[in-house]
Amino acid sequence: MTLRIGAEEEFHLLDARSGLLVSRARAVLDRLPGHGFGPEFRQCVVESNSGVHETLDGLRAH
């Protein structure tokens, strides 16, 4: 059996002064490379997805 691994991270967007969540996902995504980043259901979250890797070293290098 071959095991594969990937990672998903969610980045919550906060206002620098108030510390409150802000609905700015589209503005942030427009400034990031398209590959590996995407919107989440909530507009205050940007998601990062790795590719699928055969080893932890491959995931770490990603």
Side-chain angles (χ1 to χ4, degrees):
M1 175 204 245
T2 301
L3 297 177
R4 295 187 175 109
I5 189 167
E8 174 183 303
E9 297 177 275
E10 294 180 353
F11 300 93
H12 295 260
L13 307 175
L14 304 175
D15 179 90
R17 291 189 180 149
S18 70
L20 298 174
L21 292 168
V22 291
S23 297
R24 301 287 309 262
R26 179 52 39 207
V28 171
L29 287 168
D30 288 345
R31 299 181 71 183
L32 294 172
H35 181 69
F37 295 96
E40 263 292 316
F41 178 71
R42 298 186 66 198
Q43 289 299 305
C44 60
V45 178
V46 171
E47 181 175 282
S48 170
N49 293 293
S50 75
V52 177
H53 299 276
E54 303 282 334
T55 66
L56 287 175
D57 287 336
L59 178 61
R60 189 176 299 114
H62 179 92

